[in-house]
Amino acid sequence: MSQIKGKPARVQVDPNEFEEEQPPQTGTVYNIWYNKWSGGGNNHVLVKSKYKLDVERDSGYTRADKTQGTGYFCLFFAKGMCSKGKKCEYLHRIPRDDDVFPLTVDCFGREKFSENRDDMGGIGSFNTVNKTLYIGGVLTDRKDVQDRINGEFKPLGKISKINVISGKNCAFVTFKSESNAQFAKEAMNGQSLYGTDILSVKWAHEDPNPEAIRQKKRTIEQETQQVVLQLLDKYKRQRQDDGPHVEEPEEPEPVQVVQQLKQIEDTKPTTTSNTNGILSGVSLELLKRLPQPKPTDRKSLVNAYESSDDDDD
Amino acid sequence: MSADNKDDVPAVCETCLGPNPYLQMIRERGGLECKLCTRPFTVYKWAPVKNGPFKHTIICLTCAKQRNCCQSCLLDLTYGIPIQLRDAALKMAGVDGVQGASEPKNEVSKLYVANNSERFKSIGGAAVTSNRDKAKEILEKLAAVKGNRPSKSANAQKRDTLPQHIENIDVSKIVSKLPFNGSLEPPSNPELKTLFIFGVDDSLPEYKITEFFEQFGKLKSVNCQHGARCAFVTFTRRVDAEAAAKSISCPISGQSGLFLIENIPLRVTWGKERSLGTTNREKLKVGSIVTKFLKKLSKNSMNTTKRTNEEQTNNNEVKRVKSDTRKPAKEADFEKTFKNYEY
């Protein structure tokens, strides 16, 4: 990876030669914004992708590497069709282990949904962590199919498991990290292993195999333990920092929200709407009636609130 | 329409708000559909860092309150962890009622739960973490639970016996071709660059194996079948394969080598890539035979430690194995993990 850092990202597609083509007609109305047909039947036709990502050749630095950008990956790069090269505002490389994204977006910065789509395509759900891809349209009767899948998916991230279901023409690929799975899903959808086949890559449902369920339970347990340990650590540190009587200033506090909103709107909240408040509704009310000097420092502001909180108690 | 008052303030965590105490927010009433209850709600938009990217709320205040989570990042407001993890942690601490009012599944019940927020005040462990004192109490409790709990290792889990219809499958043809009794001595065929690994556990990811062998040289292919508990690692150069084989120690010379990844003992021999079964059932059956064979092997090497001079003949259901009796003493710590490992 370090050698890639030194070279600029390749322009994958020449913008002058790029032609936008309509996909084969499957509906009655063509939407030029989404490049999709709508209306009519629901017959989804897989189209073989014209472009393909070559990780070794195409990755490199872009504008996103130089500035503290959004840190999201280029979707067009993943599909092998970014025409911007090093001028792209998004990352042109494979997600690494230290690329962590918020729960609610994927590695391309697209917002997730609460539920998976019915066909398990698309961006996926924020309620579950899915690292497994379903690969449809695999010619499983070929002898070297496992090797081919390994060869195509290995450059896109660390693979934990590949399971080829022979007779069902599909395979499941599990990645080490979720962002690699998201990246590989976009990179491999519509690609082909043997030239004649077209892969359709979607999210996998949960594995119903009892051994897999047990293993998942174990990993969740381990994760929970880890998180609890971290929480305890944080909690202990806070206690040491603060001394016996002061509340933690580190923890998220709705007081802050109230304060910030005040500066935008002049509306006076009549009651506290935060269920998680450390201040009772009455105390907040009292505070609001006080003449408020413009706070100069956030820390002092929090402390001021806390002392009055102590008085109330 | 979500029943947001115009005076309501968003429930957003401090991490999402950013370091700026004088933050400006843009408010839009009914600007988006709540991602959980699908009702329109008042959207707040702000930039945590000046001139940086914007953040906005994605679920409505009612849903956020019910779950005690941030409207923007959906993490628990008190603990700052995903709400699913929080519920799992609370369950570990023995808090009741965490599972009771659970997340509504379908669209209608989601709407119903959101519209009746008085009745469904909290979902999952929200009631616990929304109370600051209680949340702290639980953390302390969790610390105690953590101390008492024997850490369950993956190895301690016992494997189920296979169902009858899989047990009945005849895989002797496949198994007879697999080089279980091969050795780590460099074979005479110079074209052979493949190592056969067996004993691969379900919890051992493929990339760990790849990483282990990649330190010796470039790999041509890795064929890892977790169902069959076997893997083939092919190097591009014979020299690298030999170096890899050399680095792995043999507890019993003339037999398969033994090495550890993540405390999971794996056996290695030279061997040409063979089929590990075409269907999943066949693979599972091969895996169960591998398990049995591994048990025998470990038992065998344990016996050899006890009675060093007695020759042991190992009657195996796969093949008859003749084991060498001498075992190098330096393999003591290998043996330790090995004894503790339950196949």
Side-chain angles (χ1 to χ4, degrees):
Chain A
M1 277 292 161
S2 57
Q3 55 189 11
I4 285 166
K5 196 103 201 187
K7 82 173 194 234
R10 197 181 77 99
V11 178
Q12 289 167 307
V13 179
D14 185 357
N16 298 322
E17 285 170 21
F18 186 77
E19 283 170 41
E20 212 157 277
E21 276 175 30
Q22 281 187 7
Q25 182 167 1
T26 52
T28 50
V29 183
Y30 184 65
N31 186 329
I32 55 165
W33 182 258
Y34 287 110
N35 284 332
K36 271 177 188 164
W37 287 94
S38 62
N42 197 19
N43 38 352
H44 179 66
V45 179
L46 261 175
V47 187
K48 195 174 161 185
S49 175
K50 272 168 75 183
Y51 309 101
K52 189 171 186 182
L53 168 69
D54 184 333
V55 177
E56 274 293 301
R57 190 187 53 175
D58 293 349
S59 351
Y61 66 80
T62 56
R63 281 183 186 170
D65 285 299
K66 287 176 180 169
T67 54
Q68 288 294 314
T70 48
Y72 293 124
F73 289 86
C74 182
L75 180 60
F76 296 95
F77 164 74
K79 288 177 175 171
M81 50 192 286
C82 185
S83 61
K84 287 184 175 160
K86 66 175 181 181
K87 287 178 185 160
C88 187
E89 301 284 343
Y90 292 87
L91 294 167
H92 278 211
R93 59 174 174 83
I94 299 301
R96 290 189 294 249
D97 288 352
D98 53 342
D99 293 315
V100 194
F101 296 98
L103 202 68
T104 50
V105 292
D106 74 349
C107 73
F108 304 108
R110 303 177 297 180
E111 270 181 33
K112 292 185 192 171
F113 299 91
S114 77
E115 300 294 331
N116 276 306
R117 254 166 59 169
D118 283 350
D119 66 352
M120 295 304 272
I123 297 151
S125 148
F126 53 66
N127 282 326
T128 48
V129 178
N130 201 343
K131 298 174 183 175
T132 307
L133 298 177
Y134 157 89
I135 323 286
V138 182
L139 303 175
T140 42
D141 46 347
R142 305 281 177 108
K143 242 191 159 179
D144 60 339
V145 69
Q146 176 103 13
D147 271 355
R148 291 267 178 142
I149 292 175
N150 209 327
E152 294 289 342
F153 283 87
K154 208 180 133 197
L156 302 173
K158 288 177 179 171
I159 293 169
S160 318
K161 201 174 181 181
I162 293 177
N163 194 6
V164 179
I165 314 290
S166 50
K168 293 263 198 295
N169 276 2
C170 70
F172 293 93
V173 178
T174 309
F175 281 88
K176 188 196 175 189
S177 78
E178 200 188 3
S179 37
N180 281 112
Q182 289 158 352
F183 193 90
K185 182 176 173 294
E186 293 305 331
M188 288 309 291
N189 195 20
Q191 302 293 348
S192 125
L193 290 179
Y194 292 96
T196 52
D197 55 333
I198 306 169
L199 301 182
S200 89
V201 184
K202 288 168 178 177
W203 292 111
H205 285 285
E206 253 172 64
D207 196 346
N209 178 6
E211 180 61 34
I213 292 170
R214 230 173 294 143
Q215 203 189 317
K216 198 173 176 191
K217 212 174 146 192
R218 251 179 273 145
T219 41
I220 287 175
E221 219 165 71
Q222 279 170 5
E223 256 173 53
T224 316
Q225 280 191 357
Q226 261 178 16
V227 164
V228 166
L229 277 181
Q230 280 169 11
L231 275 176
L232 282 170
D233 251 26
K234 200 172 136 195
Y235 170 58
K236 268 179 204 154
R237 250 182 290 130
Q238 276 167 3
R239 261 221 303 222
Q240 280 166 8
D241 291 351
D242 297 346
H245 288 297
V246 193
E247 290 268 357
E248 306 90 313
E250 301 298 317
E251 280 199 44
E253 284 177 26
V255 186
Q256 206 66 33
V257 186
V258 177
Q259 183 57 37
Q260 271 136 4
L261 265 172
K262 267 240 171 82
Q263 285 144 13
I264 312 160
E265 308 172 15
D266 243 347
T267 47
K268 268 193 181 176
T270 44
T271 50
T272 46
S273 47
N274 287 286
T275 48
N276 54 322
I278 51 158
L279 299 167
S280 66
V282 185
S283 61
L284 256 183
E285 227 9 67
L286 283 171
L287 279 168
K288 264 158 220 160
R289 275 174 212 155
L290 288 171
Q292 285 214 347
K294 273 260 172 188
T296 46
D297 178 36
R298 175 151 140 238
K299 194 105 187 174
S300 68
L301 172 84
V302 173
N303 287 342
Y305 271 77
E306 243 116 46
S307 60
S308 62
D309 188 35
D310 286 348
D311 291 345
D312 274 355
D313 293 339
Chain B
M1 181 84 185
S2 155
D4 290 357
N5 287 320
K6 74 170 199 196
D7 299 328
D8 273 345
V9 287
V12 181
C13 69
E14 194 140 328
T15 342
C16 283
L17 287 173
N20 183 10
Y22 309 108
L23 195 70
Q24 285 199 3
M25 281 183 167
I26 301 162
R27 184 180 64 190
E28 189 183 1
R29 295 220 168 84
L32 279 176
E33 180 186 87
C34 169
K35 290 217 169 176
L36 290 175
C37 67
T38 69
R39 301 180 305 173
F41 73 105
T42 311
V43 182
Y44 290 90
K45 205 174 167 189
W46 70 98
V49 189
K50 211 175 180 186
N51 299 327
F54 273 84
K55 271 189 174 180
H56 66 96
T57 53
I58 60 166
I59 61 168
C60 70
L61 189 60
T62 327
C63 285
K65 273 186 193 170
Q66 281 174 333
R67 289 160 185 84
N68 188 39
C69 67
C70 169
Q71 270 185 284
S72 175
C73 65
L74 305 186
L75 300 180
D76 185 85
L77 275 173
T78 321
Y79 288 162
I81 57 173
I83 42 180
Q84 288 89 355
L85 261 182
R86 170 198 70 190
D87 291 353
L90 292 180
K91 209 173 144 194
M92 247 170 77
V95 182
D96 291 333
V98 173
Q99 306 106 299
S102 56
E103 196 71 40
K105 290 281 183 291
N106 64 39
E107 217 159 292
V108 178
S109 56
K110 272 177 193 170
L111 261 176
Y112 181 75
V113 166
N115 281 329
N116 297 282
S117 52
E118 291 86 35
R119 219 176 119 192
F120 303 98
K121 275 215 173 82
S122 68
I123 291 169
V128 180
T129 52
S130 58
N131 184 334
R132 202 156 266 253
D133 297 330
K134 213 169 172 187
K136 265 186 197 166
E137 211 176 275
I138 293 294
L139 262 190
E140 272 158 7
K141 215 170 172 183
L142 269 173
V145 169
K146 224 262 132 204
N148 295 335
R149 202 184 185 83
S151 62
K152 253 193 220 164
S153 69
N155 307 349
Q157 294 278 334
K158 268 206 168 175
R159 232 162 281 271
D160 275 355
T161 45
L162 288 173
Q164 202 56 44
H165 67 280
I166 296 180
E167 201 64 63
N168 290 340
I169 296 172
D170 181 31
V171 287
S172 53
K173 258 189 186 171
I174 298 165
V175 169
S176 65
K177 282 183 182 163
L178 292 174
F180 287 115
N181 299 314
S183 74
L184 269 180
E185 300 297 313
S188 50
N189 179 7
E191 291 303 304
L192 190 63
K193 298 160 191 169
T194 310
L195 294 175
F196 173 59
I197 297 143
F198 57 107
V200 180
D201 195 85
D202 251 344
S203 60
L204 180 70
E206 190 179 318
Y207 66 88
K208 286 262 161 68
I209 300 173
T210 317
E211 271 171 11
F212 179 85
F213 285 103
E214 253 172 0
Q215 50 182 329
F216 301 105
K218 212 178 167 205
L219 303 181
K220 197 179 154 214
S221 73
V222 178
N223 182 356
C224 180
Q225 303 274 358
H226 284 92
R229 307 201 62 198
C230 297
F232 290 100
V233 176
T234 311
F235 286 85
T236 39
R237 294 191 310 162
R238 165 75 175 217
V239 195
D240 299 334
E242 275 178 25
K246 216 174 177 184
S247 76
I248 293 160
S249 57
C250 269
I252 303 169
S253 62
Q255 266 204 32
S256 50
L258 182 67
F259 71 109
L260 293 172
I261 301 179
E262 297 263 291
N263 275 334
I264 292 164
L266 299 170
R267 298 266 179 183
V268 195
T269 70
W270 287 87
K272 208 178 155 194
E273 192 158 343
R274 304 273 185 189
S275 160
L276 290 165
T278 44
T279 63
N280 258 19
R281 289 175 181 178
E282 275 178 8
K283 282 175 196 164
L284 279 176
K285 176 74 204 236
V286 171
S288 78
I289 290 175
V290 170
T291 312
K292 278 178 197 159
F293 185 68
L294 284 164
K295 259 185 204 166
K296 280 234 164 96
L297 273 181
S298 75
K299 212 172 167 188
N300 201 11
S301 42
M302 264 185 246
N303 285 344
T304 42
T305 30
K306 275 182 209 157
R307 296 168 280 169
T308 15
N309 295 322
E310 262 176 69
E311 200 169 87
Q312 281 269 313
T313 321
N314 180 13
N315 280 328
N316 189 284
E317 84 162 55
V318 187
K319 262 188 181 180
R320 263 132 264 123
V321 191
K322 268 196 187 150
S323 65
D324 204 323
T325 46
R326 265 168 292 277
K327 198 185 90 30
K330 61 176 177 178
E331 259 41 273
D333 43 326
F334 257 140
E335 214 53 59
K336 225 180 185 177
T337 6
F338 213 51
K339 273 178 201 162
N340 297 335
Y341 194 84
E342 239 174 278
Y343 287 104

